[in-house]
Amino acid sequence: MKSSASPLLSPLLPSPVSSPAPLISFIDLQPDVGRFLDDVLAGLAASPKALSPKYFYDARGSELFEAICELPEYYPTRTELALMRDQAAEMAAQIGEGGLLIEFGSGASIKTEVLLHTLRPVAYVPIEIAAEALQASTTRLAAEFPQLPIIAVCADYMQPLRLPQLALIKASRRVIYFPGSTIGNLTPAEAQAFLVRALELAGPGGAMLIGVDLKKDPELLHAAYNDAQGVTAEFNLNLLRRMNRELAADFDLDRFRHVAFYNAAAGRIEMHLESLCEQTVTVSGRSFVFGAGERMHTENSCKYSVAEFQRLAQAAGFRPEQVWVDAASLFSVHLLCA
Ligand SMILES: C[S@@+](CC[C@H](N)C(=O)[O-])C[C@H]1O[C@@H](n2cnc3c(N)ncnc32)[C@H](O)[C@@H]1O
């Protein structure tokens, strides 16, 4: 990781016209390619082979994720967004204005935009691993909210983060936002540990607003991760393209296929890349043998009932305050208090 904070976007020069300059600063703690390589080599040497979903999000991966969000089969984004549009005023009333809003995995920040209108925080701190997506979303938000200070942090939120800048911001409370059911990418044990760290970051009196996908008819889940247009397959396979480009790997994309299914016992969708034949792949000079039909596990998306998630949050030390669920019981947004 690069240790210094580089003011990549800040301070922007004062605009010659009368509108105020956007108040963006950019802290670059993005994991470097060496970390990516170490993780991939360890994941391919493991049995079964596994790769972290955080590496899906190069520029193309972020674009593909936004395309997934528009798919007719992919209910989570439009359901959560509708919940935010319907309930953002009540959420803000419960949370209170003047907080410091910190978001994990902000991506395009579409739902955040809705929240910012009602919550009126003193500053916004998106923490996102994908530099391109972070830069695009903060530039868009700065144009829409020119008075809002934005501290954009390009970092892996699974790593310990030192952000002394945040201590200087006077706010009524810290509010952590984690939409998109991204928490589902972690196993329940990892999710609990993550929530413990989020609680520490929130501090006394802090709050967390978190989107969590609900358990439901497995057929609906299956369709959401196996769309007819093949965009999710393209998203999954793009990880191979990324490794070829960044890690001098030689994956042949025609020799792997996207596999996604609901594992009912574990309560999660699993995504894998399956080798279509016996083959050897090289990554930065290291060889890895794949058997025909052998799979690399690329993502989990854990689903929770409201009660299951509340138990998890309580075990991490949060107090569940309120939960909003859509009429079809597809998706939940929880307000947790420290
Ligand atoms: C499922 S998408 C959700 C995006 C957006 N929050 C939404 O609700 O549509 C997950 C986002 O988290 C980011 N992300 C995934 N793992 C991350 C990590 N370990 N650290 C920081 N960002 C991460 C991805 O780049 C992506 O933008």
PDB file of all heavy atoms in Angstrom, residues 44 49 51 240 243 251 255-256 273-283 287-296:
ATOM      1  N   LEU A  44      -4.830 -19.378  -5.814  1.00  0.00           N
ATOM      2  CA  LEU A  44      -4.729 -20.454  -6.812  1.00  0.00           C
ATOM      3  C   LEU A  44      -4.004 -21.676  -6.239  1.00  0.00           C
ATOM      4  O   LEU A  44      -4.186 -22.793  -6.729  1.00  0.00           O
ATOM      5  CB  LEU A  44      -4.013 -19.950  -8.068  1.00  0.00           C
ATOM      6  CG  LEU A  44      -4.769 -18.895  -8.867  1.00  0.00           C
ATOM      7  CD1 LEU A  44      -3.976 -18.449 -10.089  1.00  0.00           C
ATOM      8  CD2 LEU A  44      -6.138 -19.414  -9.315  1.00  0.00           C
ATOM      9  N   LYS A  49      -9.613 -23.776  -5.123  1.00  0.00           N
ATOM     10  CA  LYS A  49      -9.069 -22.480  -5.537  1.00  0.00           C
ATOM     11  C   LYS A  49     -10.105 -21.378  -5.266  1.00  0.00           C
ATOM     12  O   LYS A  49     -11.311 -21.607  -5.444  1.00  0.00           O
ATOM     13  CB  LYS A  49      -8.733 -22.505  -7.033  1.00  0.00           C
ATOM     14  CG  LYS A  49      -7.600 -23.477  -7.399  1.00  0.00           C
ATOM     15  CD  LYS A  49      -7.351 -23.452  -8.903  1.00  0.00           C
ATOM     16  CE  LYS A  49      -6.119 -24.241  -9.326  1.00  0.00           C
ATOM     17  NZ  LYS A  49      -6.149 -25.674  -9.081  1.00  0.00           N
ATOM     18  N   LEU A  51     -10.659 -16.785  -5.194  1.00  0.00           N
ATOM     19  CA  LEU A  51     -10.152 -15.421  -5.382  1.00  0.00           C
ATOM     20  C   LEU A  51     -11.100 -14.454  -4.699  1.00  0.00           C
ATOM     21  O   LEU A  51     -12.303 -14.728  -4.617  1.00  0.00           O
ATOM     22  CB  LEU A  51     -10.079 -15.083  -6.890  1.00  0.00           C
ATOM     23  CG  LEU A  51      -9.141 -15.965  -7.716  1.00  0.00           C
ATOM     24  CD1 LEU A  51      -9.334 -15.698  -9.210  1.00  0.00           C
ATOM     25  CD2 LEU A  51      -7.682 -15.703  -7.336  1.00  0.00           C
ATOM     26  N   LEU A 240     -10.495 -12.808 -14.997  1.00  0.00           N
ATOM     27  CA  LEU A 240      -9.398 -13.489 -15.711  1.00  0.00           C
ATOM     28  C   LEU A 240      -8.677 -12.492 -16.627  1.00  0.00           C
ATOM     29  O   LEU A 240      -7.445 -12.468 -16.707  1.00  0.00           O
ATOM     30  CB  LEU A 240      -9.951 -14.653 -16.546  1.00  0.00           C
ATOM     31  CG  LEU A 240     -10.747 -15.724 -15.786  1.00  0.00           C
ATOM     32  CD1 LEU A 240     -11.172 -16.844 -16.733  1.00  0.00           C
ATOM     33  CD2 LEU A 240      -9.908 -16.302 -14.640  1.00  0.00           C
ATOM     34  N   MET A 243      -6.432 -10.353 -14.555  1.00  0.00           N
ATOM     35  CA  MET A 243      -5.188 -11.030 -14.148  1.00  0.00           C
ATOM     36  C   MET A 243      -4.232 -11.145 -15.331  1.00  0.00           C
ATOM     37  O   MET A 243      -3.019 -10.981 -15.174  1.00  0.00           O
ATOM     38  CB  MET A 243      -5.517 -12.404 -13.556  1.00  0.00           C
ATOM     39  CG  MET A 243      -6.212 -12.312 -12.212  1.00  0.00           C
ATOM     40  SD  MET A 243      -6.376 -13.892 -11.356  1.00  0.00           S
ATOM     41  CE  MET A 243      -7.708 -14.663 -12.246  1.00  0.00           C
ATOM     42  N   PHE A 251      -4.689 -16.788 -18.815  1.00  0.00           N
ATOM     43  CA  PHE A 251      -6.001 -17.454 -18.813  1.00  0.00           C
ATOM     44  C   PHE A 251      -6.630 -17.324 -20.203  1.00  0.00           C
ATOM     45  O   PHE A 251      -6.666 -16.229 -20.773  1.00  0.00           O
ATOM     46  CB  PHE A 251      -6.944 -16.792 -17.800  1.00  0.00           C
ATOM     47  CG  PHE A 251      -6.631 -17.109 -16.367  1.00  0.00           C
ATOM     48  CD1 PHE A 251      -5.872 -16.245 -15.594  1.00  0.00           C
ATOM     49  CD2 PHE A 251      -7.116 -18.277 -15.780  1.00  0.00           C
ATOM     50  CE1 PHE A 251      -5.589 -16.533 -14.268  1.00  0.00           C
ATOM     51  CE2 PHE A 251      -6.838 -18.569 -14.449  1.00  0.00           C
ATOM     52  CZ  PHE A 251      -6.071 -17.703 -13.693  1.00  0.00           C
ATOM     53  N   ARG A 255     -11.897 -21.025 -22.185  1.00  0.00           N
ATOM     54  CA  ARG A 255     -11.730 -22.316 -21.509  1.00  0.00           C
ATOM     55  C   ARG A 255     -12.271 -22.298 -20.081  1.00  0.00           C
ATOM     56  O   ARG A 255     -11.949 -23.158 -19.273  1.00  0.00           O
ATOM     57  CB  ARG A 255     -10.257 -22.715 -21.507  1.00  0.00           C
ATOM     58  CG  ARG A 255      -9.749 -23.051 -22.883  1.00  0.00           C
ATOM     59  CD  ARG A 255      -8.275 -23.365 -22.809  1.00  0.00           C
ATOM     60  NE  ARG A 255      -7.853 -24.132 -23.955  1.00  0.00           N
ATOM     61  CZ  ARG A 255      -6.793 -24.934 -23.972  1.00  0.00           C
ATOM     62  NH1 ARG A 255      -6.047 -25.058 -22.888  1.00  0.00           N
ATOM     63  NH2 ARG A 255      -6.469 -25.591 -25.048  1.00  0.00           N
ATOM     64  N   PHE A 256     -13.023 -21.231 -19.747  1.00  0.00           N
ATOM     65  CA  PHE A 256     -13.677 -21.149 -18.428  1.00  0.00           C
ATOM     66  C   PHE A 256     -15.120 -20.727 -18.636  1.00  0.00           C
ATOM     67  O   PHE A 256     -15.440 -20.054 -19.608  1.00  0.00           O
ATOM     68  CB  PHE A 256     -12.960 -20.129 -17.532  1.00  0.00           C
ATOM     69  CG  PHE A 256     -11.621 -20.606 -17.042  1.00  0.00           C
ATOM     70  CD1 PHE A 256     -10.480 -20.406 -17.806  1.00  0.00           C
ATOM     71  CD2 PHE A 256     -11.511 -21.273 -15.823  1.00  0.00           C
ATOM     72  CE1 PHE A 256      -9.240 -20.864 -17.372  1.00  0.00           C
ATOM     73  CE2 PHE A 256     -10.270 -21.731 -15.390  1.00  0.00           C
ATOM     74  CZ  PHE A 256      -9.139 -21.535 -16.158  1.00  0.00           C
ATOM     75  N   LEU A 273     -15.712 -19.762 -11.292  1.00  0.00           N
ATOM     76  CA  LEU A 273     -15.271 -19.887 -12.681  1.00  0.00           C
ATOM     77  C   LEU A 273     -14.811 -21.322 -12.844  1.00  0.00           C
ATOM     78  O   LEU A 273     -13.945 -21.801 -12.093  1.00  0.00           O
ATOM     79  CB  LEU A 273     -14.133 -18.907 -12.968  1.00  0.00           C
ATOM     80  CG  LEU A 273     -14.588 -17.439 -13.076  1.00  0.00           C
ATOM     81  CD1 LEU A 273     -13.401 -16.483 -13.008  1.00  0.00           C
ATOM     82  CD2 LEU A 273     -15.393 -17.214 -14.363  1.00  0.00           C
ATOM     83  N   GLU A 274     -15.424 -22.015 -13.799  1.00  0.00           N
ATOM     84  CA  GLU A 274     -15.184 -23.451 -13.951  1.00  0.00           C
ATOM     85  C   GLU A 274     -14.327 -23.712 -15.183  1.00  0.00           C
ATOM     86  O   GLU A 274     -14.613 -23.214 -16.284  1.00  0.00           O
ATOM     87  CB  GLU A 274     -16.529 -24.177 -14.094  1.00  0.00           C
ATOM     88  CG  GLU A 274     -16.386 -25.684 -14.171  1.00  0.00           C
ATOM     89  CD  GLU A 274     -17.746 -26.354 -14.256  1.00  0.00           C
ATOM     90  OE1 GLU A 274     -18.455 -26.411 -13.234  1.00  0.00           O
ATOM     91  OE2 GLU A 274     -18.094 -26.822 -15.368  1.00  0.00           O
ATOM     92  N   SER A 275     -13.295 -24.512 -14.990  1.00  0.00           N
ATOM     93  CA  SER A 275     -12.411 -24.877 -16.108  1.00  0.00           C
ATOM     94  C   SER A 275     -13.129 -25.888 -17.002  1.00  0.00           C
ATOM     95  O   SER A 275     -13.649 -26.900 -16.529  1.00  0.00           O
ATOM     96  CB  SER A 275     -11.118 -25.486 -15.547  1.00  0.00           C
ATOM     97  OG  SER A 275     -10.316 -25.951 -16.598  1.00  0.00           O
ATOM     98  N   LEU A 276     -13.145 -25.611 -18.312  1.00  0.00           N
ATOM     99  CA  LEU A 276     -13.882 -26.486 -19.243  1.00  0.00           C
ATOM    100  C   LEU A 276     -13.055 -27.692 -19.667  1.00  0.00           C
ATOM    101  O   LEU A 276     -13.563 -28.587 -20.343  1.00  0.00           O
ATOM    102  CB  LEU A 276     -14.314 -25.684 -20.476  1.00  0.00           C
ATOM    103  CG  LEU A 276     -15.330 -24.564 -20.183  1.00  0.00           C
ATOM    104  CD1 LEU A 276     -15.588 -23.718 -21.424  1.00  0.00           C
ATOM    105  CD2 LEU A 276     -16.641 -25.159 -19.672  1.00  0.00           C
ATOM    106  N   CYS A 277     -11.772 -27.713 -19.332  1.00  0.00           N
ATOM    107  CA  CYS A 277     -10.910 -28.835 -19.728  1.00  0.00           C
ATOM    108  C   CYS A 277      -9.736 -28.897 -18.752  1.00  0.00           C
ATOM    109  O   CYS A 277      -9.559 -28.000 -17.929  1.00  0.00           O
ATOM    110  CB  CYS A 277     -10.378 -28.601 -21.146  1.00  0.00           C
ATOM    111  SG  CYS A 277      -9.503 -27.043 -21.289  1.00  0.00           S
ATOM    112  N   GLU A 278      -8.938 -29.926 -18.867  1.00  0.00           N
ATOM    113  CA  GLU A 278      -7.710 -29.958 -18.072  1.00  0.00           C
ATOM    114  C   GLU A 278      -6.737 -28.977 -18.715  1.00  0.00           C
ATOM    115  O   GLU A 278      -6.589 -28.971 -19.944  1.00  0.00           O
ATOM    116  CB  GLU A 278      -7.137 -31.373 -18.083  1.00  0.00           C
ATOM    117  CG  GLU A 278      -6.058 -31.521 -17.046  1.00  0.00           C
ATOM    118  CD  GLU A 278      -5.646 -32.972 -16.849  1.00  0.00           C
ATOM    119  OE1 GLU A 278      -6.530 -33.853 -16.886  1.00  0.00           O
ATOM    120  OE2 GLU A 278      -4.449 -33.190 -16.696  1.00  0.00           O
ATOM    121  N   GLN A 279      -6.122 -28.142 -17.916  1.00  0.00           N
ATOM    122  CA  GLN A 279      -5.247 -27.120 -18.498  1.00  0.00           C
ATOM    123  C   GLN A 279      -4.271 -26.582 -17.446  1.00  0.00           C
ATOM    124  O   GLN A 279      -4.501 -26.711 -16.243  1.00  0.00           O
ATOM    125  CB  GLN A 279      -6.070 -25.967 -19.059  1.00  0.00           C
ATOM    126  CG  GLN A 279      -7.011 -25.306 -18.054  1.00  0.00           C
ATOM    127  CD  GLN A 279      -7.844 -24.178 -18.668  1.00  0.00           C
ATOM    128  OE1 GLN A 279      -7.345 -23.390 -19.463  1.00  0.00           O
ATOM    129  NE2 GLN A 279      -9.119 -24.107 -18.303  1.00  0.00           N
ATOM    130  N   THR A 280      -3.202 -25.985 -17.936  1.00  0.00           N
ATOM    131  CA  THR A 280      -2.238 -25.334 -17.043  1.00  0.00           C
ATOM    132  C   THR A 280      -2.242 -23.848 -17.357  1.00  0.00           C
ATOM    133  O   THR A 280      -2.199 -23.459 -18.534  1.00  0.00           O
ATOM    134  CB  THR A 280      -0.827 -25.909 -17.259  1.00  0.00           C
ATOM    135  OG1 THR A 280      -0.875 -27.313 -16.980  1.00  0.00           O
ATOM    136  CG2 THR A 280       0.189 -25.264 -16.329  1.00  0.00           C
ATOM    137  N   VAL A 281      -2.321 -23.036 -16.314  1.00  0.00           N
ATOM    138  CA  VAL A 281      -2.340 -21.580 -16.478  1.00  0.00           C
ATOM    139  C   VAL A 281      -1.124 -21.013 -15.751  1.00  0.00           C
ATOM    140  O   VAL A 281      -0.744 -21.505 -14.680  1.00  0.00           O
ATOM    141  CB  VAL A 281      -3.647 -20.999 -15.880  1.00  0.00           C
ATOM    142  CG1 VAL A 281      -3.621 -19.485 -15.890  1.00  0.00           C
ATOM    143  CG2 VAL A 281      -4.864 -21.521 -16.641  1.00  0.00           C
ATOM    144  N   THR A 282      -0.537 -19.988 -16.353  1.00  0.00           N
ATOM    145  CA  THR A 282       0.640 -19.363 -15.743  1.00  0.00           C
ATOM    146  C   THR A 282       0.278 -17.961 -15.258  1.00  0.00           C
ATOM    147  O   THR A 282      -0.389 -17.210 -15.968  1.00  0.00           O
ATOM    148  CB  THR A 282       1.774 -19.252 -16.788  1.00  0.00           C
ATOM    149  OG1 THR A 282       1.942 -20.535 -17.371  1.00  0.00           O
ATOM    150  CG2 THR A 282       3.079 -18.822 -16.161  1.00  0.00           C
ATOM    151  N   VAL A 283       0.715 -17.635 -14.033  1.00  0.00           N
ATOM    152  CA  VAL A 283       0.524 -16.278 -13.492  1.00  0.00           C
ATOM    153  C   VAL A 283       1.883 -15.795 -13.004  1.00  0.00           C
ATOM    154  O   VAL A 283       2.462 -16.398 -12.084  1.00  0.00           O
ATOM    155  CB  VAL A 283      -0.480 -16.286 -12.313  1.00  0.00           C
ATOM    156  CG1 VAL A 283      -0.685 -14.863 -11.778  1.00  0.00           C
ATOM    157  CG2 VAL A 283      -1.810 -16.909 -12.708  1.00  0.00           C
ATOM    158  N   SER A 287       3.017 -21.756 -12.391  1.00  0.00           N
ATOM    159  CA  SER A 287       2.033 -22.580 -13.119  1.00  0.00           C
ATOM    160  C   SER A 287       1.011 -23.183 -12.171  1.00  0.00           C
ATOM    161  O   SER A 287       1.356 -23.619 -11.059  1.00  0.00           O
ATOM    162  CB  SER A 287       2.753 -23.715 -13.853  1.00  0.00           C
ATOM    163  OG  SER A 287       3.580 -23.158 -14.831  1.00  0.00           O
ATOM    164  N   PHE A 288      -0.216 -23.242 -12.638  1.00  0.00           N
ATOM    165  CA  PHE A 288      -1.308 -23.839 -11.852  1.00  0.00           C
ATOM    166  C   PHE A 288      -2.109 -24.756 -12.759  1.00  0.00           C
ATOM    167  O   PHE A 288      -2.508 -24.358 -13.863  1.00  0.00           O
ATOM    168  CB  PHE A 288      -2.216 -22.749 -11.272  1.00  0.00           C
ATOM    169  CG  PHE A 288      -1.497 -21.836 -10.322  1.00  0.00           C
ATOM    170  CD1 PHE A 288      -0.905 -20.661 -10.783  1.00  0.00           C
ATOM    171  CD2 PHE A 288      -1.362 -22.170  -8.980  1.00  0.00           C
ATOM    172  CE1 PHE A 288      -0.211 -19.831  -9.927  1.00  0.00           C
ATOM    173  CE2 PHE A 288      -0.666 -21.343  -8.108  1.00  0.00           C
ATOM    174  CZ  PHE A 288      -0.089 -20.165  -8.581  1.00  0.00           C
ATOM    175  N   VAL A 289      -2.310 -25.996 -12.275  1.00  0.00           N
ATOM    176  CA  VAL A 289      -3.054 -26.983 -13.080  1.00  0.00           C
ATOM    177  C   VAL A 289      -4.522 -26.936 -12.681  1.00  0.00           C
ATOM    178  O   VAL A 289      -4.856 -26.888 -11.492  1.00  0.00           O
ATOM    179  CB  VAL A 289      -2.480 -28.401 -12.837  1.00  0.00           C
ATOM    180  CG1 VAL A 289      -3.291 -29.450 -13.578  1.00  0.00           C
ATOM    181  CG2 VAL A 289      -1.020 -28.431 -13.270  1.00  0.00           C
ATOM    182  N   PHE A 290      -5.392 -26.924 -13.681  1.00  0.00           N
ATOM    183  CA  PHE A 290      -6.839 -27.018 -13.463  1.00  0.00           C
ATOM    184  C   PHE A 290      -7.309 -28.344 -14.057  1.00  0.00           C
ATOM    185  O   PHE A 290      -6.988 -28.644 -15.218  1.00  0.00           O
ATOM    186  CB  PHE A 290      -7.591 -25.890 -14.194  1.00  0.00           C
ATOM    187  CG  PHE A 290      -7.469 -24.544 -13.536  1.00  0.00           C
ATOM    188  CD1 PHE A 290      -6.333 -23.767 -13.702  1.00  0.00           C
ATOM    189  CD2 PHE A 290      -8.506 -24.051 -12.765  1.00  0.00           C
ATOM    190  CE1 PHE A 290      -6.228 -22.524 -13.098  1.00  0.00           C
ATOM    191  CE2 PHE A 290      -8.408 -22.806 -12.162  1.00  0.00           C
ATOM    192  CZ  PHE A 290      -7.268 -22.038 -12.318  1.00  0.00           C
ATOM    193  N   GLY A 291      -8.083 -29.105 -13.276  1.00  0.00           N
ATOM    194  CA  GLY A 291      -8.725 -30.280 -13.839  1.00  0.00           C
ATOM    195  C   GLY A 291      -9.961 -29.865 -14.629  1.00  0.00           C
ATOM    196  O   GLY A 291     -10.478 -28.760 -14.427  1.00  0.00           O
ATOM    197  N   ALA A 292     -10.437 -30.736 -15.522  1.00  0.00           N
ATOM    198  CA  ALA A 292     -11.690 -30.440 -16.237  1.00  0.00           C
ATOM    199  C   ALA A 292     -12.808 -30.373 -15.204  1.00  0.00           C
ATOM    200  O   ALA A 292     -12.939 -31.276 -14.366  1.00  0.00           O
ATOM    201  CB  ALA A 292     -11.968 -31.524 -17.269  1.00  0.00           C
ATOM    202  N   GLY A 293     -13.581 -29.282 -15.205  1.00  0.00           N
ATOM    203  CA  GLY A 293     -14.680 -29.125 -14.237  1.00  0.00           C
ATOM    204  C   GLY A 293     -14.243 -28.521 -12.906  1.00  0.00           C
ATOM    205  O   GLY A 293     -15.094 -28.254 -12.052  1.00  0.00           O
ATOM    206  N   GLU A 294     -12.937 -28.300 -12.744  1.00  0.00           N
ATOM    207  CA  GLU A 294     -12.486 -27.700 -11.466  1.00  0.00           C
ATOM    208  C   GLU A 294     -12.912 -26.228 -11.401  1.00  0.00           C
ATOM    209  O   GLU A 294     -12.888 -25.515 -12.401  1.00  0.00           O
ATOM    210  CB  GLU A 294     -10.960 -27.805 -11.340  1.00  0.00           C
ATOM    211  CG  GLU A 294     -10.472 -27.319  -9.988  1.00  0.00           C
ATOM    212  CD  GLU A 294      -8.967 -27.454  -9.793  1.00  0.00           C
ATOM    213  OE1 GLU A 294      -8.281 -28.056 -10.640  1.00  0.00           O
ATOM    214  OE2 GLU A 294      -8.485 -26.910  -8.772  1.00  0.00           O
ATOM    215  N   ARG A 295     -13.290 -25.795 -10.192  1.00  0.00           N
ATOM    216  CA  ARG A 295     -13.819 -24.441 -10.043  1.00  0.00           C
ATOM    217  C   ARG A 295     -12.932 -23.562  -9.172  1.00  0.00           C
ATOM    218  O   ARG A 295     -12.341 -24.029  -8.204  1.00  0.00           O
ATOM    219  CB  ARG A 295     -15.208 -24.485  -9.399  1.00  0.00           C
ATOM    220  CG  ARG A 295     -16.239 -25.077 -10.328  1.00  0.00           C
ATOM    221  CD  ARG A 295     -17.569 -25.256  -9.615  1.00  0.00           C
ATOM    222  NE  ARG A 295     -18.551 -25.794 -10.549  1.00  0.00           N
ATOM    223  CZ  ARG A 295     -19.782 -26.142 -10.219  1.00  0.00           C
ATOM    224  NH1 ARG A 295     -20.195 -26.025  -8.958  1.00  0.00           N
ATOM    225  NH2 ARG A 295     -20.608 -26.605 -11.118  1.00  0.00           N
ATOM    226  N   MET A 296     -12.915 -22.270  -9.542  1.00  0.00           N
ATOM    227  CA  MET A 296     -12.330 -21.228  -8.676  1.00  0.00           C
ATOM    228  C   MET A 296     -13.504 -20.490  -8.069  1.00  0.00           C
ATOM    229  O   MET A 296     -14.362 -19.982  -8.799  1.00  0.00           O
ATOM    230  CB  MET A 296     -11.583 -20.207  -9.547  1.00  0.00           C
ATOM    231  CG  MET A 296     -10.123 -20.374  -9.618  1.00  0.00           C
ATOM    232  SD  MET A 296      -9.418 -19.049 -10.656  1.00  0.00           S
ATOM    233  CE  MET A 296     -10.112 -19.359 -12.254  1.00  0.00           C
TER     234      MET A 296
END
